[in-house]
């Protein structure tokens, strides 16, 4: 019955390459989301997604059907009390998106904005907290997937705790990729989605929050019907099922990928990604590429090489040439910066990176781009 599918390496930062077992986990007899066989899987995910950070009963998982942005929407629309205010640390596309979510819901916020290749300054964050004592939430993106910057969540968490603020981390592209110490970093709420660190199909987002934070939000303004976290939590708690139809097949795939991740171990998985990154990074440098983000700020999960200055360079052509060999690459997402992004997410190894480097070099030569590339 099972169909052979060609393995494609996605070097774009999500969705990521999946294993065949994850792909095939979606193919099963039709099932209703209110049947026990599905509910067992759904309930087990609620518990086991927390295992990525060894979290216990004081934390709860709330699952949403949607892309990663649905959980940003959920957290910002659900966890700000009346008269509350959000401090958004914004040094990239995803920080900007959080600002836009606040604008859509008319949530008071401070947009602490930095250039997209810089990390935030702790002194500025403290000053913003001192100046705005009505701030209730500090919000930061852990891994700015638009550039590959890794923000200092531990240091920011210290400040959030010192000033007694709810601390929210968008860990969509870092959870289950980079080991995160939620307790030490003072994180109250984190979030992720199926297609990034979890190496599964897109379609499921999840929030992992302190149970007390969810319960406290019961009487907060209800800014959204579909993404209210208390509503989802409470319905599941009372009824043992999801109020709305979840992405059933995607959830089976997520269960399979989580099993594979927990079997590999988050630390081992991190090492696998790091090894792949080392090979990729070395090879890309050898080809002469320069990066948008300084090495010291990089996540080591993603790089943003700048377009070389060569009359024969065509990124569109390059996309096609490497696609023919089974690799997908993706442009950068930062306005006015000509860069592309290469990530080491998903079910890949350093060997895939070795193969990619050969394919890339061949494509550059075929395009008559001078190698090593010039700026
Ligand atoms: C991918 C991602 C998101 C959500 O993007 P979607 O396209 O909605 O899945 C949010 N934050 C970060 C840091 C991400 O990497």
């Amino acid at each position: 019955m099972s169909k052979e599918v060609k393995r494609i390496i996605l070097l774009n930062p999500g969705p990521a390459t999946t294993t065949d077992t994850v792909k095939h986990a979606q193919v099963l007899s039709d099932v209703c989301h209110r049947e026990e066989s599905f509910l067992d899987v759904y309930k087990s995910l609620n518990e086991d997604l927390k295992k990525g950070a060894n979290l216990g009963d004081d934390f709860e998982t709330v699952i949403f059907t949607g892309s990663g942005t649905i959980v940003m929407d959920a957290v910002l629309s659900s966890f700000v009390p009346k008269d509350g205010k959000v401090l958004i640390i914004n040094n990239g596309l995803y920080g900007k998106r959080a600002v836009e979510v606040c604008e859509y819901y008319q949530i008071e916020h401070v947009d602490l904005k930095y250039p997209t290749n810089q990390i935030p300054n702790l002194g500025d964050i403290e000053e913003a907290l001192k100046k705005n004592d009505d701030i209730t939430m500090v919000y930061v993106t852990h891994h700015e997937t638009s550039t590959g910057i890794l923000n200092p969540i531990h240091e920011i968490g210290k400040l959030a705790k010192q000033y007694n603020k709810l601390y929210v981390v968008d860990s969509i592209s870092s959870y289950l990729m980079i080991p995160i110490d939620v307790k030490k970093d003072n994180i109250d709420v984190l979030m992720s989605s199926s297609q990034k660190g979890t190496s599964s199909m897109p379609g499921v987002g999840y929030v992992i929050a302190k149970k007390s934070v969810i319960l406290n939000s019961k009487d907060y303004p209800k800014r959204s019907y579909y993404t209210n976290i208390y509503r989802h939590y409470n319905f599941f708690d009372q009824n043992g099922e999801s109020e709305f139809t979840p992405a059933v097949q995607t959830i089976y795939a997520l269960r399979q990928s989580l099993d594979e991740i927990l079997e590999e171990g988050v630390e081992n998985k991190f090492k696998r990604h790091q090894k792949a990154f080392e090979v990729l990074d070395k090879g890309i440098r050898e080809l002469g590429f320069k990066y948008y983000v300084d090495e010291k700020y990089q996540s080591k999960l993603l790089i943003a090489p700048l377009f070389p200055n060569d009359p024969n360079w065509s990124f569109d052509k390059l996309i096609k040439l490497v696609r023919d060999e089974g690799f997908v690459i993706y442009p950068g997402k930062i306005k006015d910066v000509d860069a592309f992004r290469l990530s080491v997410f998903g079910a890949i190894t350093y060997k895939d990176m070795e193969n990619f480097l050969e394919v890339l070099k061949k494509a550059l030569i075929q395009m008559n781009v001078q190698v090593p590339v010039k700026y």
Side-chain angles (χ1 to χ4, degrees):
M1 262 246 304
S2 74
K3 190 174 131 216
E4 278 290 317
V5 280
K6 187 176 174 216
R7 183 166 179 261
I8 299 289
I9 305 298
L10 300 179
L11 296 169
N12 52 291
T17 300
T18 59
T19 59
D20 284 349
T21 36
V22 167
K23 289 182 189 76
H24 288 301
Q26 296 183 112
V27 184
L28 70 162
S29 296
D30 292 327
V31 55
C32 168
H33 64 291
R34 308 211 187 270
E35 287 187 83
E36 211 167 301
S37 62
F38 173 73
L39 289 173
D40 287 346
V41 171
Y42 193 68
K43 281 180 202 160
S44 71
L45 263 188
N46 273 275
E47 277 310 306
D48 293 347
L49 282 167
K50 296 191 288 187
K51 287 187 182 165
N54 298 313
L55 296 169
D57 289 343
D58 49 342
F59 279 79
E60 295 283 350
T61 311
V62 182
I63 294 176
F64 288 90
T65 286
S67 77
T69 306
I70 200 168
V71 284
M72 300 172 65
D73 190 295
V75 166
L76 288 162
S77 68
S78 304
F79 286 158
V80 183
K82 187 172 171 287
D83 304 322
K85 196 183 216 176
V86 186
L87 173 64
I88 294 170
I89 297 157
N90 170 7
N91 59 342
L93 176 89
Y94 293 106
K96 180 168 168 269
R97 186 172 296 174
V99 169
E100 286 168 3
V101 173
C102 288
E103 285 169 359
Y104 270 49
Y105 288 119
Q106 299 181 349
I107 295 167
E108 288 288 324
H109 59 281
V110 177
D111 177 4
L112 191 61
K113 200 171 167 185
Y114 291 92
T116 53
N117 59 356
Q118 295 297 317
I119 59 162
N121 176 296
L122 296 171
D124 296 346
I125 296 171
E126 183 155 22
E127 201 183 298
L129 289 170
K130 277 187 181 150
K131 246 190 3 217
N132 300 271
D133 59 7
D134 51 349
I135 285 173
T136 50
M137 177 195 289
V138 174
Y139 181 108
V140 68
T141 306
H142 185 200
H143 178 206
E144 239 316 334
T145 327
S146 53
T147 56
I149 282 190
L150 197 68
N151 281 319
I153 55 166
H154 180 72
E155 290 73 13
I156 299 168
K158 258 194 198 157
L159 284 172
K161 180 162 191 198
Q162 190 188 332
Y163 286 83
N164 200 19
K165 309 300 181 192
L166 185 72
Y167 185 38
V168 172
V169 177
D170 171 353
S171 52
I172 289 179
S173 65
S174 55
Y175 191 59
L176 296 170
M177 294 282 299
I178 305 174
I180 298 177
D181 194 327
V182 171
K183 303 254 152 99
K184 262 201 196 134
D185 296 346
N186 295 303
I187 300 171
D188 296 304
V189 180
L190 55 89
M191 49 185 127
S192 195
S193 60
S194 49
Q195 86 280 21
K196 299 265 173 87
T198 337
S199 312
S200 188
M201 311 304 162
V204 174
Y206 55 96
V207 177
I208 300 177
K210 264 190 193 147
K211 189 173 179 174
S212 59
V213 170
I214 300 175
L215 295 178
N216 280 340
S217 71
K218 180 171 187 270
D219 297 318
Y220 287 3
K222 307 271 181 296
R223 301 173 178 91
S224 160
Y225 183 83
Y226 195 67
T227 66
N228 185 265
I229 292 176
Y230 182 80
R231 183 186 183 98
H232 275 254
Y233 168 77
N234 189 246
F235 192 95
F236 181 71
D237 190 49
Q238 299 291 312
N239 304 286
E241 60 184 46
S242 167
E243 185 173 11
F244 312 117
T245 317
V248 174
Q249 282 71 16
T250 311
I251 282 169
Y252 280 101
L254 180 58
R255 178 68 254 183
Q256 177 64 29
S257 62
L258 187 63
D259 283 343
E260 291 172 14
I261 290 170
L262 294 176
E263 196 188 315
E264 182 180 13
V266 178
E267 293 280 350
N268 289 337
K269 181 176 183 284
F270 181 50
K271 282 190 196 130
R272 172 167 58 78
H273 292 302
Q274 279 186 311
K275 185 152 188 208
F277 182 85
E278 275 166 31
V279 168
L280 178 71
D281 177 57
K282 187 166 170 274
I284 294 292
R285 283 172 197 271
E286 278 169 8
L287 288 171
F289 285 98
K290 289 181 180 164
Y291 297 156
Y292 178 57
V293 171
D294 196 285
E295 194 181 348
K296 63 180 183 288
Y297 301 144
Q298 284 175 9
S299 63
K300 316 271 173 193
L301 293 172
L302 186 161
I303 42 173
L306 295 163
F307 287 179
N309 191 0
D310 187 304
N312 292 326
W313 169 263
S314 157
F315 190 63
D316 289 339
K317 213 183 228 174
L318 185 64
I319 289 178
K320 289 197 191 84
L321 287 172
V322 302
R323 184 67 172 84
D324 290 344
E325 304 289 332
F327 295 92
V328 173
I329 58 174
Y330 196 59
K333 267 201 173 171
I334 292 297
K335 216 174 131 238
D336 305 327
V337 178
D338 282 332
F340 59 110
R341 290 181 294 167
L342 300 171
S343 77
V344 294
F345 294 11
I348 51 122
T349 70
Y350 71 95
K351 290 211 175 78
D352 296 313
M353 298 303 118
E354 290 174 350
N355 294 339
F356 171 68
L357 288 164
E358 270 179 39
V359 165
L360 176 65
K361 189 169 181 183
K362 212 176 90 192
L364 291 171
I365 291 168
Q366 202 175 330
M367 283 161 60
N368 281 319
V369 170
Q370 201 187 339
V371 178
V373 297
K374 294 278 173 297
Y375 288 90

